[in-house]
Amino acid sequence: MDKTALTKQRLKRRPGSESRPAEGWYEPASEWFEVPLMRDEVVLERAPNQALLTRRYTDASLEFIREHEQEPFFLYLSFNMPHVPLFRSPEFAGRSAAGLYGDVIEELDAGVGRVLEELRALDLEERTLVVFTSDNGPWLEYEILGGSAGPFRAGKSTAWEGGFRVPALFWAPGRVAPGVVQEMGSTMDLMATFASLTDAELPEVQLDGFDLTPVLVRDEAGPRQEMFFYLGDRLAAVRRGPFKAHFLVPAAGKRGLETLAQPLLFNVNEDPGERFDLAPRRPEIVAELTRLRDAHQASIVEVENQLLRR
Amino acid sequence: MDKTALTKQRLKRRPGSESRPAEGWYEPASEWFEVPLMRDEVVLERAPNQALLTRRYTDASLEFIREHEQEPFFLYLSFNMPHVPLFRSPEFAGRSAAGLYGDVIEELDAGVGRVLEELRALDLEERTLVVFTSDNGPWLEYEILGGSAGPFRAGKSTAWEGGFRVPALFWAPGRVAPGVVQEMGSTMDLMATFASLTDAELPEVQLDGFDLTPVLVRDEAGPRQEMFFYLGDRLAAVRRGPFKAHFLVPAAGKRGLETLAQPLLFNVNEDPGERFDLAPRRPEIVAELTRLRDAHQASIVEVENQLLRR
C-alpha cells in the first residue's frame, strides 16, 4: 500500500462506527500530513515535525517582538493547535491529567506565558495589549480530540453557544483593570477596539465591529447589544441582550439547514446551555428578534468577493 | 377554591407539558408552603417568609459563632436555598444577570462572606476550617430553577457526574494552601478529615471515609482512589482513578433501574461530560471495575437501620 493510501486508511472513519474518529487521530504521525510550513509566502518545510510547531510558533513570535521592540507592532500569533491532528512536544507529553488534548492546551498556555514574560523582560507590558481568544467552539465529530464547549450546547459549525461563545482575555497592565465581564464582544470588534486604543483612524467602509474600550478601560456597559449568528452566508440566529432566537437549524437526516416553523427562544444569561425554549411564553420577544433579523438582512449591501478578486 | 387546592393548582405541572415546572414555581409565595421553621426541636413559625431565610440562617450562624468563640465549635450551616421553591430577600432581587436562581446564589455567597468576615473579626480565621460544598447536582426537572451541572452530564438522582460531582472549597488560612486540586473527595471523607485536623479519635466502626489532609495540607496525592455511586441502595457505577464504569441506568420509559448488558466506561479526567464510551476499546478496565464492584458488594455488612430505630 502506498503512503497516501496508508494515511487515508489510518485516518478514515472506523468501520461500523462511521461517526467516530479513526484510531490514527489518537496517535497521529507528522509524516501522514504533507502540509507546508511557511514563512510569509515561502515554504520552509513539507510535513514538518508537528510536535514542535507550538514551540516554533512561540520562538518566532519572541523573535518578532525583539526585532520590533523600539516601534509599534502588531503580532498575530495564531497557533495551529489545538486543531486536529493534535501534537505536543516531548516536554509536554503526559503532563496533563486530561490526556493528549490537555497536554496540547498546557503547551499553548506555556507558549502564551513565554510571550508575556518577553513583554515584561523588554519593559513593554505597559505599552502592549494582549488579547487571547478563539475563533470557534469544539469540532465535536472528533470527540475528545476536538475539545469541549463545557456548559454550552453543541459546537463548531452550529449557531448554538457551543459554536460561537469562546473565552476572551484582555491583558494590558495599568489600562485594563482585572475583572470578569459578562458583556458581549466579537472578534469583529477587535479592529475598532485597537483603533480606539491607538488613536488610529478607521477606514471609510461599513464595519460590523464596535469599540469595546468602554467595557475594557472604563468598566462601562458594552456597546455591543446584538449579535448575528451566520452559518456560511445564512443568518441562523439573532441575539439582543440576553435573548437569542434561532430561526434555522440543521436539517434532520440530511445536509443543509431548514427554517423552523416556530423559532426557538433562549435567555442565554439565565440558561447558557440553551436548554429551555421560552418561545411559547415570550412571543413578543420572538417577534422583536424576528423584526431585528429582517431589518439586518435588509441592510446588507453585497460587496465584491475579495477572495475571488485575489 | 380553598387555599390548599389553589396552591396545588399553582404548583402542579402545566397542562400539555407535564415535564415542565408549573408557573407558580417561577414566582412562588411563602404562604403556599406550610413548612415549619424550627430551632432545635421547637417550631418557631409555620409558613415563614422564605425570602428572609438565607439572611436568618446566616444571622443565627453568626450568633452561634459569637457564643462559642472561646471554645472549639462545630457549625453546620445548611442553607435550604437553592432548593425549590426559590426565594431571596428584597436586597438581592434582580441583582444577578442570571435571574432568580442567580439572585439566590448571590445571596448565599454574601451569607458565606459574612461568616468569613465574622471569623476574621473574632480573630478565629487561623483556628477554623471552613468547608463549602453541596450534597448533589441540579434537580433538572425544575429546569432553570434547579440550577445547572455545567459541563457535567445529567443531574441529581443519577450516577452521572452531574449528579455527584459538586464544588468543594476548603478555607483555613495558614493551613490549607491556596490552590486547585483535582483529587477525588467525598462528603463521607469530612469526618475523618476533621478528626485528623483536630487530633480527635474516630469511633470504632467501619467508616467509608478517608482523611483528606495529605491533599489539603501537604499537597500530596489523595487517599481516595475509588468511589462507589449508589442510587438508593443500588450500586450503579464505580470509579477508580480516572475510569468510571456504569452498570445500571434508568429504565427506558418506566421507573426504576435496569442493568446494562454491556457496562459503559468513561475517563472522567479526559471526558468529564461522560460523552464517549470507552468500553469497546478498553475491555480490561471494564473487567477490573467489575471485579472492584463485586468485591465492594461482597464487603458490605448490613447494619441496623438507624432511622427505624429512632
Side-chain angles (χ1 to χ4, degrees), chain B residues 160 234 236 245-250 257-266 277 293:
Chain B
W160 300 107
R234 299 189 67 190
H246 289 260
F247 300 98
L248 303 177
V249 293
L257 300 169
E258 64 188 0
T259 302
L260 290 164
Q262 165 69 46
L264 299 169
L265 180 70
F266 301 93
D277 178 23
R293 175 197 64 173

Side-chain angles (χ1 to χ4, degrees), chain A residues 192-210:
Chain A
T193 305
F194 295 164
S196 171
L197 285 169
T198 57
D199 291 320
E201 259 178 60
L202 286 169
E204 290 284 326
V205 295
Q206 176 69 41
L207 292 174
D208 295 303
F210 293 88

Side-chain angles (χ1 to χ4, degrees), chain A residues 23 144 147 269-270 275 281, chain B residues 23 97 144 147 270 275 281:
Chain A
E23 286 297 331
I144 203 65
N269 283 353
E270 297 190 12
R275 296 182 291 161
R281 294 171 60 206
Chain B
E23 287 297 330
I144 204 64
E270 297 190 11
R275 296 182 290 161
R281 294 171 60 205

Side-chain angles (χ1 to χ4, degrees), chain A residues 277 280-281, chain B residues 9 11-24 26 143:
Chain A
D277 178 22
R281 294 171 60 206
Chain B
Q9 190 193 44
L11 299 179
K12 78 178 177 192
R13 304 294 179 177
R14 279 207 289 277
S17 63
E18 59 184 287
S19 69
R20 315 201 66 178
E23 287 297 330
Y26 291 90
E143 299 198 344

